[in-house]
Amino acid sequence: DVKVTQSSRYLVKRTGEKVFLECVQDMDHENMFWYRQDPGLGLRLIYFSYDVKMKEKGDIPEGYSVSREKKERFSLILESASTNQTSMYLCASRGQGANEQYFGPGTRLTVT
Amino acid sequence: SQQGEEDPQALSIQEGENATMNCSYKTSINNLQWYRQNSGRGLVHLILIRSNEREKHSGRLRVTLDTSKKSSSLLITASRAADTASYFCATDAQGAQKLVFGQGTRLTINP
């Protein structure tokens, strides 16, 4: 079974802090994705990566950056956390040529 | 921007009844997928229907796709309390590398 893990289930950070959210998948998938989920807005794509060191902006990249130094790991970085980045963050992966995305359990981030 | 739009936003039914959720989208697609999300958890893939298919079944799930109307429906038959979750449609647009998710339907099954 594909497993996607995220470093934290719950995280509380202060405004202005630098925040790292880590995602690891164990199925050698080429494609990895970061979404944020907010009530009434569904899932919105922040960034995705289709290969090591490659990244593409999604629909809402502002205030975020990503890093993919190894195939199995995709990190989301909040350079200077703000209260409007309080949200549920979901990581997903997908194999090349495949259709289904596999999701991690999510990280609920609160910025105070 | 969100392409998939689910309807209704929330649905509450009695255990044993059938639940129907609808999804509309805007552009041409390769396939449409449905995912389930239990409260506070990640999404789980349920079923995929390709653009050249009209109907697909998997257990108690039945999905239809009408490309002329750019819409899909997910039917869950003989609902159970464990079906309580949010359900999302996601479209895999032609030429795109990413899925576009709708806002979801919150389904509650009352015992």
Side-chain angles (χ1 to χ4, degrees):
Chain A
D1 282 350
V2 175
K3 192 167 184 182
V4 180
T5 57
Q6 294 183 230
S7 50
S8 304
R9 288 299 314 280
Y10 300 94
L11 206 53
V12 180
K13 295 292 182 180
R14 293 189 181 274
T15 300
E17 278 193 84
K18 191 169 185 175
V19 182
F20 292 87
L21 301 182
E22 305 285 338
C23 176
V24 177
Q25 50 93 5
D26 66 358
M27 281 301 291
D28 203 36
H29 284 172
E30 287 78 9
N31 303 289
M32 296 187 75
F33 307 84
W34 274 108
Y35 298 89
R36 65 176 282 177
Q37 183 178 22
D38 301 286
L41 297 177
L43 274 73
R44 293 180 292 168
L45 182 64
I46 305 172
Y47 267 97
F48 66 102
S49 169
Y50 52 88
D51 202 351
V52 175
K53 297 191 186 295
M54 306 303 289
K55 60 184 179 183
E56 293 280 346
K57 292 181 180 179
D59 299 317
I60 52 164
E62 296 78 19
Y64 303 93
S65 62
V66 290
S67 173
R68 189 147 181 222
E69 296 297 317
K70 293 184 177 181
K71 192 174 186 180
E72 67 271 19
R73 187 180 298 271
F74 192 34
S75 302
L76 180 69
I77 304 155
L78 286 66
E79 295 291 341
S80 177
S82 63
T83 55
N84 63 14
Q85 292 178 311
T86 290
S87 186
M88 169 72 105
Y89 289 87
L90 293 164
C91 174
S93 73
R94 184 172 81 176
Q96 192 68 18
N99 296 301
E100 178 180 349
Q101 284 191 7
Y102 295 86
F103 283 82
T107 294
R108 188 166 293 282
L109 172 67
T110 302
V111 182
T112 61
Chain B
S1 62
Q2 293 294 328
Q3 173 164 246
E5 298 290 337
E6 279 96 341
D7 170 51
Q9 291 188 347
L11 180 62
S12 180
I13 60 174
Q14 294 300 121
E15 195 167 16
E17 293 180 342
N18 296 340
T20 300
M21 289 159 272
N22 303 296
C23 168
S24 60
Y25 58 92
K26 295 175 183 172
T27 63
S28 296
I29 61 172
N30 290 320
N31 63 70
L32 186 144
Q33 303 174 40
W34 285 91
Y35 287 77
R36 184 183 76 193
Q37 182 183 36
N38 289 88
S39 182
R41 309 293 297 186
L43 279 69
V44 175
H45 182 264
L46 292 176
I47 192 166
L48 176 150
I49 187 165
R50 301 188 186 283
S51 59
N52 61 354
E53 296 175 312
R54 292 296 167 258
E55 187 170 312
K56 199 161 184 182
H57 297 255
S58 176
R60 293 184 297 113
L61 304 180
R62 174 182 168 243
V63 171
T64 62
L65 179 65
D66 186 335
T67 53
S68 66
K69 295 181 179 178
K70 290 187 169 58
S71 68
S72 173
S73 67
L74 172 67
L75 168 68
I76 304 174
T77 60
S79 63
R80 305 168 182 169
D83 295 329
T84 293
S86 291
Y87 292 81
F88 294 86
C89 68
T91 50
D92 194 348
Q94 291 178 353
Q97 296 173 294
K98 57 185 182 179
L99 294 178
V100 178
F101 286 83
Q103 296 178 0
T105 293
R106 174 73 186 157
L107 175 65
T108 302
I109 308 299
N110 302 303

